[in-house]
mmCIF file of all heavy atoms in Angstrom:
data_model
loop_
_atom_site.group_PDB
_atom_site.id
_atom_site.type_symbol
_atom_site.label_atom_id
_atom_site.label_comp_id
_atom_site.label_asym_id
_atom_site.label_seq_id
_atom_site.Cartn_x
_atom_site.Cartn_y
_atom_site.Cartn_z
ATOM 1 N N GLN A 93 42.161 104.451 -55.998
ATOM 2 C CA GLN A 93 42.660 104.116 -54.666
ATOM 3 C C GLN A 93 41.556 103.392 -53.914
ATOM 4 O O GLN A 93 40.395 103.801 -53.851
ATOM 5 C CB GLN A 93 43.114 105.363 -53.918
ATOM 6 C CG GLN A 93 43.782 105.026 -52.615
ATOM 7 C CD GLN A 93 44.364 106.217 -51.905
ATOM 8 O OE1 GLN A 93 43.841 107.301 -52.004
ATOM 9 N NE2 GLN A 93 45.406 106.007 -51.090
ATOM 10 N N ILE A 94 41.925 102.302 -53.336
ATOM 11 C CA ILE A 94 41.080 101.438 -52.466
ATOM 12 C C ILE A 94 41.827 101.257 -51.185
ATOM 13 O O ILE A 94 42.980 100.788 -51.242
ATOM 14 C CB ILE A 94 40.721 100.116 -53.128
ATOM 15 C CG1 ILE A 94 40.063 100.288 -54.448
ATOM 16 C CG2 ILE A 94 39.861 99.291 -52.163
ATOM 17 C CD1 ILE A 94 40.038 99.053 -55.309
ATOM 18 N N ILE A 95 41.213 101.573 -50.066
ATOM 19 C CA ILE A 95 41.898 101.396 -48.778
ATOM 20 C C ILE A 95 41.152 100.300 -47.970
ATOM 21 O O ILE A 95 39.967 100.382 -47.823
ATOM 22 C CB ILE A 95 41.876 102.722 -47.947
ATOM 23 C CG1 ILE A 95 42.517 103.831 -48.748
ATOM 24 C CG2 ILE A 95 42.608 102.465 -46.605
ATOM 25 C CD1 ILE A 95 42.289 105.230 -48.149
ATOM 26 N N VAL A 96 41.919 99.309 -47.607
ATOM 27 C CA VAL A 96 41.390 98.156 -46.864
ATOM 28 C C VAL A 96 41.784 98.338 -45.424
ATOM 29 O O VAL A 96 42.935 98.705 -45.152
ATOM 30 C CB VAL A 96 41.817 96.840 -47.429
ATOM 31 C CG1 VAL A 96 41.142 95.687 -46.707
ATOM 32 C CG2 VAL A 96 41.620 96.763 -48.925
ATOM 33 N N LEU A 97 40.845 98.080 -44.491
ATOM 34 C CA LEU A 97 41.112 98.222 -43.081
ATOM 35 C C LEU A 97 40.622 97.030 -42.352
ATOM 36 O O LEU A 97 39.480 96.571 -42.632
ATOM 37 C CB LEU A 97 40.406 99.492 -42.590
ATOM 38 C CG LEU A 97 40.505 99.803 -41.138
ATOM 39 C CD1 LEU A 97 40.840 101.266 -40.917
ATOM 40 C CD2 LEU A 97 39.220 99.500 -40.424
ATOM 41 N N CYS A 98 41.461 96.414 -41.511
ATOM 42 C CA CYS A 98 40.987 95.335 -40.610
ATOM 43 C C CYS A 98 41.185 95.834 -39.206
ATOM 44 O O CYS A 98 41.363 97.037 -38.958
ATOM 45 C CB CYS A 98 41.817 94.082 -40.891
ATOM 46 S SG CYS A 98 43.554 94.198 -40.511
ATOM 47 N N ASN A 99 41.234 94.976 -38.234
ATOM 48 C CA ASN A 99 41.322 95.387 -36.863
ATOM 49 C C ASN A 99 42.687 95.911 -36.494
ATOM 50 O O ASN A 99 42.796 96.955 -35.802
ATOM 51 C CB ASN A 99 40.901 94.219 -35.915
ATOM 52 C CG ASN A 99 40.589 94.732 -34.513
ATOM 53 O OD1 ASN A 99 39.909 95.778 -34.359
ATOM 54 N ND2 ASN A 99 41.033 94.058 -33.529
ATOM 55 N N LEU A 100 43.773 95.192 -36.896
ATOM 56 C CA LEU A 100 45.148 95.537 -36.490
ATOM 57 C C LEU A 100 46.034 95.866 -37.649
ATOM 58 O O LEU A 100 47.254 96.153 -37.402
ATOM 59 C CB LEU A 100 45.712 94.382 -35.680
ATOM 60 C CG LEU A 100 44.999 94.048 -34.384
ATOM 61 C CD1 LEU A 100 45.576 92.789 -33.747
ATOM 62 C CD2 LEU A 100 45.127 95.222 -33.402
ATOM 63 N N GLY A 101 45.645 95.805 -38.846
ATOM 64 C CA GLY A 101 46.494 96.114 -40.015
ATOM 65 C C GLY A 101 47.307 94.952 -40.496
ATOM 66 O O GLY A 101 48.392 95.154 -41.054
ATOM 67 N N LEU A 102 46.892 93.730 -40.313
ATOM 68 C CA LEU A 102 47.545 92.530 -40.757
ATOM 69 C C LEU A 102 46.795 91.895 -41.930
ATOM 70 O O LEU A 102 47.265 91.833 -43.057
ATOM 71 C CB LEU A 102 47.788 91.588 -39.635
ATOM 72 C CG LEU A 102 48.627 92.110 -38.470
ATOM 73 C CD1 LEU A 102 48.664 91.123 -37.326
ATOM 74 C CD2 LEU A 102 50.008 92.508 -38.908
ATOM 75 N N ALA A 103 45.565 91.466 -41.662
ATOM 76 C CA ALA A 103 44.749 90.834 -42.708
ATOM 77 C C ALA A 103 44.476 91.752 -43.855
ATOM 78 O O ALA A 103 44.393 91.335 -44.981
ATOM 79 C CB ALA A 103 43.477 90.291 -42.100
ATOM 80 N N SER A 104 44.331 93.053 -43.548
ATOM 81 C CA SER A 104 44.042 94.028 -44.609
ATOM 82 C C SER A 104 45.207 94.103 -45.587
ATOM 83 O O SER A 104 45.005 94.352 -46.736
ATOM 84 C CB SER A 104 43.782 95.401 -43.991
ATOM 85 O OG SER A 104 44.915 95.822 -43.210
ATOM 86 N N SER A 105 46.427 93.864 -45.112
ATOM 87 C CA SER A 105 47.611 93.885 -46.055
ATOM 88 C C SER A 105 47.460 92.726 -47.047
ATOM 89 O O SER A 105 47.739 92.915 -48.223
ATOM 90 C CB SER A 105 48.904 93.723 -45.248
ATOM 91 O OG SER A 105 49.068 94.782 -44.349
ATOM 92 N N LEU A 106 47.009 91.550 -46.559
ATOM 93 C CA LEU A 106 46.829 90.448 -47.510
ATOM 94 C C LEU A 106 45.744 90.757 -48.500
ATOM 95 O O LEU A 106 45.895 90.485 -49.707
ATOM 96 C CB LEU A 106 46.499 89.166 -46.747
ATOM 97 C CG LEU A 106 47.545 88.644 -45.774
ATOM 98 C CD1 LEU A 106 47.070 87.455 -44.979
ATOM 99 C CD2 LEU A 106 48.811 88.277 -46.590
ATOM 100 N N SER A 107 44.633 91.363 -48.027
ATOM 101 C CA SER A 107 43.531 91.750 -48.953
ATOM 102 C C SER A 107 44.006 92.791 -49.988
ATOM 103 O O SER A 107 43.728 92.639 -51.209
ATOM 104 C CB SER A 107 42.406 92.338 -48.185
ATOM 105 O OG SER A 107 41.733 91.409 -47.414
ATOM 106 N N ALA A 108 44.704 93.800 -49.565
ATOM 107 C CA ALA A 108 45.184 94.849 -50.463
ATOM 108 C C ALA A 108 46.143 94.293 -51.478
ATOM 109 O O ALA A 108 46.068 94.582 -52.693
ATOM 110 C CB ALA A 108 45.826 95.946 -49.660
ATOM 111 N N ALA A 109 47.058 93.364 -51.058
ATOM 112 C CA ALA A 109 48.026 92.795 -51.978
ATOM 113 C C ALA A 109 47.280 91.879 -52.957
ATOM 114 O O ALA A 109 47.622 91.904 -54.145
ATOM 115 C CB ALA A 109 49.036 91.956 -51.211
ATOM 116 N N ASN A 110 46.255 91.168 -52.536
ATOM 117 C CA ASN A 110 45.450 90.351 -53.479
ATOM 118 C C ASN A 110 44.714 91.266 -54.496
ATOM 119 O O ASN A 110 44.599 90.894 -55.655
ATOM 120 C CB ASN A 110 44.502 89.454 -52.708
ATOM 121 C CG ASN A 110 45.179 88.266 -52.144
ATOM 122 O OD1 ASN A 110 46.244 87.918 -52.575
ATOM 123 N ND2 ASN A 110 44.591 87.679 -51.119
ATOM 124 N N LEU A 111 44.176 92.384 -54.022
ATOM 125 C CA LEU A 111 43.501 93.299 -54.927
ATOM 126 C C LEU A 111 44.495 93.807 -55.998
ATOM 127 O O LEU A 111 44.131 93.894 -57.187
ATOM 128 C CB LEU A 111 42.861 94.466 -54.168
ATOM 129 C CG LEU A 111 41.688 94.122 -53.324
ATOM 130 C CD1 LEU A 111 41.228 95.325 -52.500
ATOM 131 C CD2 LEU A 111 40.502 93.568 -54.179
ATOM 132 N N GLN A 112 45.700 94.080 -55.564
ATOM 133 C CA GLN A 112 46.720 94.485 -56.577
ATOM 134 C C GLN A 112 46.973 93.345 -57.554
ATOM 135 O O GLN A 112 47.087 93.609 -58.772
ATOM 136 C CB GLN A 112 47.989 94.890 -55.922
ATOM 137 C CG GLN A 112 47.902 96.243 -55.169
ATOM 138 C CD GLN A 112 49.238 96.751 -54.725
ATOM 139 O OE1 GLN A 112 50.262 96.091 -54.799
ATOM 140 N NE2 GLN A 112 49.196 97.933 -54.108
ATOM 141 N N ARG A 113 47.040 92.134 -57.068
ATOM 142 C CA ARG A 113 47.313 90.971 -57.932
ATOM 143 C C ARG A 113 46.179 90.826 -58.997
ATOM 144 O O ARG A 113 46.465 90.268 -60.069
ATOM 145 C CB ARG A 113 47.395 89.691 -57.165
ATOM 146 C CG ARG A 113 48.720 89.528 -56.462
ATOM 147 C CD ARG A 113 48.867 88.157 -55.802
ATOM 148 N NE ARG A 113 49.917 88.204 -54.814
ATOM 149 C CZ ARG A 113 49.710 88.312 -53.527
ATOM 150 N NH1 ARG A 113 48.524 88.312 -53.025
ATOM 151 N NH2 ARG A 113 50.732 88.359 -52.660
ATOM 152 N N ILE A 114 44.948 91.192 -58.694
ATOM 153 C CA ILE A 114 43.900 90.994 -59.643
ATOM 154 C C ILE A 114 43.703 92.302 -60.524
ATOM 155 O O ILE A 114 42.749 92.399 -61.245
ATOM 156 C CB ILE A 114 42.527 90.586 -59.020
ATOM 157 C CG1 ILE A 114 42.041 91.615 -58.044
ATOM 158 C CG2 ILE A 114 42.672 89.241 -58.401
ATOM 159 C CD1 ILE A 114 40.670 91.299 -57.436
ATOM 160 N N GLY A 115 44.686 93.204 -60.410
ATOM 161 C CA GLY A 115 44.653 94.359 -61.290
ATOM 162 C C GLY A 115 44.198 95.697 -60.755
ATOM 163 O O GLY A 115 44.108 96.650 -61.466
ATOM 164 N N LEU A 116 43.912 95.728 -59.451
ATOM 165 C CA LEU A 116 43.561 96.973 -58.843
ATOM 166 C C LEU A 116 44.791 97.640 -58.144
ATOM 167 O O LEU A 116 45.006 97.447 -56.952
ATOM 168 C CB LEU A 116 42.384 96.717 -57.822
ATOM 169 C CG LEU A 116 41.105 96.152 -58.476
ATOM 170 C CD1 LEU A 116 40.096 95.701 -57.425
ATOM 171 C CD2 LEU A 116 40.486 97.186 -59.422
ATOM 172 N N SER A 117 45.566 98.289 -58.944
ATOM 173 C CA SER A 117 46.846 98.762 -58.547
ATOM 174 C C SER A 117 46.852 99.828 -57.454
ATOM 175 O O SER A 117 47.807 100.050 -56.781
ATOM 176 C CB SER A 117 47.624 99.293 -59.749
ATOM 177 O OG SER A 117 46.913 100.424 -60.295
ATOM 178 N N GLY A 118 45.693 100.437 -57.255
ATOM 179 C CA GLY A 118 45.597 101.524 -56.226
ATOM 180 C C GLY A 118 45.200 100.995 -54.823
ATOM 181 O O GLY A 118 44.974 101.772 -53.919
ATOM 182 N N ALA A 119 45.217 99.665 -54.655
ATOM 183 C CA ALA A 119 44.830 99.099 -53.372
ATOM 184 C C ALA A 119 45.943 99.228 -52.359
ATOM 185 O O ALA A 119 47.126 99.063 -52.660
ATOM 186 C CB ALA A 119 44.413 97.649 -53.506
ATOM 187 N N THR A 120 45.571 99.568 -51.138
ATOM 188 C CA THR A 120 46.521 99.634 -49.996
ATOM 189 C C THR A 120 45.753 99.365 -48.700
ATOM 190 O O THR A 120 44.542 99.083 -48.788
ATOM 191 C CB THR A 120 47.237 100.989 -49.970
ATOM 192 O OG1 THR A 120 48.347 100.933 -49.022
ATOM 193 C CG2 THR A 120 46.351 102.160 -49.653
ATOM 194 N N ASP A 121 46.417 99.581 -47.599
ATOM 195 C CA ASP A 121 45.733 99.398 -46.309
ATOM 196 C C ASP A 121 46.257 100.388 -45.323
ATOM 197 O O ASP A 121 47.028 101.304 -45.604
ATOM 198 C CB ASP A 121 45.810 97.948 -45.811
ATOM 199 C CG ASP A 121 47.199 97.614 -45.232
ATOM 200 O OD1 ASP A 121 48.198 98.213 -45.674
ATOM 201 O OD2 ASP A 121 47.236 96.718 -44.373
ATOM 202 N N VAL A 122 45.734 100.281 -44.104
ATOM 203 C CA VAL A 122 46.024 101.234 -43.033
ATOM 204 C C VAL A 122 46.933 100.633 -41.934
ATOM 205 O O VAL A 122 46.615 99.579 -41.434
ATOM 206 C CB VAL A 122 44.692 101.713 -42.326
ATOM 207 C CG1 VAL A 122 44.968 102.661 -41.188
ATOM 208 C CG2 VAL A 122 43.756 102.317 -43.390
ATOM 209 N N GLU A 123 48.039 101.299 -41.737
ATOM 210 C CA GLU A 123 48.944 100.847 -40.688
ATOM 211 C C GLU A 123 48.273 100.781 -39.348
ATOM 212 O O GLU A 123 47.657 101.799 -38.945
ATOM 213 C CB GLU A 123 50.170 101.777 -40.600
ATOM 214 C CG GLU A 123 51.000 101.808 -41.831
ATOM 215 C CD GLU A 123 52.100 102.882 -41.802
ATOM 216 O OE1 GLU A 123 52.081 103.773 -40.825
ATOM 217 O OE2 GLU A 123 52.894 102.914 -42.715
ATOM 218 N N GLY A 124 48.284 99.654 -38.715
ATOM 219 C CA GLY A 124 47.648 99.543 -37.378
ATOM 220 C C GLY A 124 46.135 99.353 -37.419
ATOM 221 O O GLY A 124 45.536 99.094 -36.364
ATOM 222 N N GLY A 125 45.567 99.343 -38.609
ATOM 223 C CA GLY A 125 44.143 99.049 -38.783
ATOM 224 C C GLY A 125 43.206 99.959 -37.932
ATOM 225 O O GLY A 125 43.492 101.111 -37.619
ATOM 226 N N PHE A 126 42.020 99.392 -37.628
ATOM 227 C CA PHE A 126 41.001 100.125 -36.955
ATOM 228 C C PHE A 126 41.454 100.597 -35.601
ATOM 229 O O PHE A 126 41.114 101.693 -35.130
ATOM 230 C CB PHE A 126 39.740 99.284 -36.785
ATOM 231 C CG PHE A 126 38.666 99.980 -36.065
ATOM 232 C CD1 PHE A 126 37.793 100.873 -36.696
ATOM 233 C CD2 PHE A 126 38.444 99.820 -34.685
ATOM 234 C CE1 PHE A 126 36.820 101.590 -35.997
ATOM 235 C CE2 PHE A 126 37.502 100.507 -34.021
ATOM 236 C CZ PHE A 126 36.672 101.381 -34.671
ATOM 237 N N GLN A 127 42.241 99.753 -34.896
ATOM 238 C CA GLN A 127 42.669 100.118 -33.559
ATOM 239 C C GLN A 127 43.592 101.375 -33.575
ATOM 240 O O GLN A 127 43.433 102.264 -32.732
ATOM 241 C CB GLN A 127 43.389 98.937 -32.897
ATOM 242 C CG GLN A 127 42.476 97.797 -32.571
ATOM 243 C CD GLN A 127 41.236 98.152 -31.768
ATOM 244 O OE1 GLN A 127 41.310 98.949 -30.859
ATOM 245 N NE2 GLN A 127 40.086 97.602 -32.106
ATOM 246 N N ALA A 128 44.426 101.550 -34.623
ATOM 247 C CA ALA A 128 45.240 102.755 -34.734
ATOM 248 C C ALA A 128 44.317 103.923 -35.127
ATOM 249 O O ALA A 128 44.546 105.048 -34.659
ATOM 250 C CB ALA A 128 46.278 102.575 -35.810
ATOM 251 N N TRP A 129 43.291 103.702 -36.010
ATOM 252 C CA TRP A 129 42.330 104.703 -36.324
ATOM 253 C C TRP A 129 41.650 105.278 -35.064
ATOM 254 O O TRP A 129 41.594 106.478 -34.842
ATOM 255 C CB TRP A 129 41.282 104.121 -37.334
ATOM 256 C CG TRP A 129 40.192 105.030 -37.737
ATOM 257 C CD1 TRP A 129 39.083 105.408 -36.983
ATOM 258 C CD2 TRP A 129 40.034 105.658 -39.043
ATOM 259 N NE1 TRP A 129 38.289 106.232 -37.736
ATOM 260 C CE2 TRP A 129 38.837 106.419 -38.982
ATOM 261 C CE3 TRP A 129 40.754 105.657 -40.196
ATOM 262 C CZ2 TRP A 129 38.390 107.114 -40.059
ATOM 263 C CZ3 TRP A 129 40.320 106.344 -41.242
ATOM 264 C CH2 TRP A 129 39.104 107.111 -41.200
ATOM 265 N N LYS A 130 41.142 104.344 -34.294
ATOM 266 C CA LYS A 130 40.453 104.717 -33.071
ATOM 267 C C LYS A 130 41.334 105.447 -32.070
ATOM 268 O O LYS A 130 41.027 106.486 -31.476
ATOM 269 C CB LYS A 130 39.833 103.482 -32.389
ATOM 270 C CG LYS A 130 38.869 103.726 -31.254
ATOM 271 C CD LYS A 130 38.242 102.462 -30.850
ATOM 272 C CE LYS A 130 37.342 102.706 -29.629
ATOM 273 N NZ LYS A 130 36.665 101.444 -29.229
ATOM 274 N N ALA A 131 42.610 104.932 -31.900
ATOM 275 C CA ALA A 131 43.559 105.555 -30.999
ATOM 276 C C ALA A 131 43.937 106.955 -31.444
ATOM 277 O O ALA A 131 44.284 107.818 -30.583
ATOM 278 C CB ALA A 131 44.811 104.644 -30.898
ATOM 279 N N ALA A 132 43.841 107.215 -32.775
ATOM 280 C CA ALA A 132 44.192 108.542 -33.287
ATOM 281 C C ALA A 132 43.001 109.522 -33.081
ATOM 282 O O ALA A 132 43.175 110.701 -33.429
ATOM 283 C CB ALA A 132 44.538 108.404 -34.762
ATOM 284 N N GLY A 133 41.938 109.047 -32.528
ATOM 285 C CA GLY A 133 40.760 109.906 -32.302
ATOM 286 C C GLY A 133 39.925 110.265 -33.487
ATOM 287 O O GLY A 133 39.238 111.238 -33.503
ATOM 288 N N LEU A 134 40.110 109.459 -34.548
ATOM 289 C CA LEU A 134 39.353 109.685 -35.797
ATOM 290 C C LEU A 134 37.908 109.256 -35.623
ATOM 291 O O LEU A 134 37.574 108.461 -34.719
ATOM 292 C CB LEU A 134 40.064 109.016 -36.950
ATOM 293 C CG LEU A 134 41.469 109.569 -37.203
ATOM 294 C CD1 LEU A 134 42.262 108.675 -38.144
ATOM 295 C CD2 LEU A 134 41.338 111.006 -37.808
ATOM 296 N N PRO A 135 36.980 109.675 -36.518
ATOM 297 C CA PRO A 135 35.592 109.412 -36.338
ATOM 298 C C PRO A 135 35.216 107.907 -36.293
ATOM 299 O O PRO A 135 35.665 107.135 -37.143
ATOM 300 C CB PRO A 135 34.925 110.077 -37.559
ATOM 301 C CG PRO A 135 35.933 111.113 -38.006
ATOM 302 C CD PRO A 135 37.244 110.547 -37.660
ATOM 303 N N VAL A 136 34.459 107.592 -35.263
ATOM 304 C CA VAL A 136 33.887 106.241 -35.070
ATOM 305 C C VAL A 136 32.507 106.444 -34.518
ATOM 306 O O VAL A 136 32.274 107.308 -33.644
ATOM 307 C CB VAL A 136 34.742 105.422 -34.065
ATOM 308 C CG1 VAL A 136 34.083 104.079 -33.785
ATOM 309 C CG2 VAL A 136 36.174 105.215 -34.575
ATOM 310 N N VAL A 137 31.558 105.649 -35.036
ATOM 311 C CA VAL A 137 30.189 105.670 -34.533
ATOM 312 C C VAL A 137 29.753 104.254 -34.145
ATOM 313 O O VAL A 137 30.372 103.308 -34.615
ATOM 314 C CB VAL A 137 29.175 106.263 -35.568
ATOM 315 C CG1 VAL A 137 29.466 107.753 -35.865
ATOM 316 C CG2 VAL A 137 29.182 105.458 -36.839
#
Side-chain angles (χ1 to χ4, degrees):
Q93 187 175 28
I94 302 165
I95 303 168
V96 185
L97 177 134
C98 66
N99 198 43
L100 297 172
L102 300 174
S104 59
S105 298
L106 296 174
S107 292
N110 283 338
L111 290 174
Q112 287 189 356
R113 281 187 199 102
I114 61 174
L116 298 170
S117 62
T120 191
D121 75 331
V122 178
E123 296 172 353
F126 178 83
Q127 294 305 320
W129 178 285
K130 189 173 178 180
L134 295 166
V136 174
V137 296

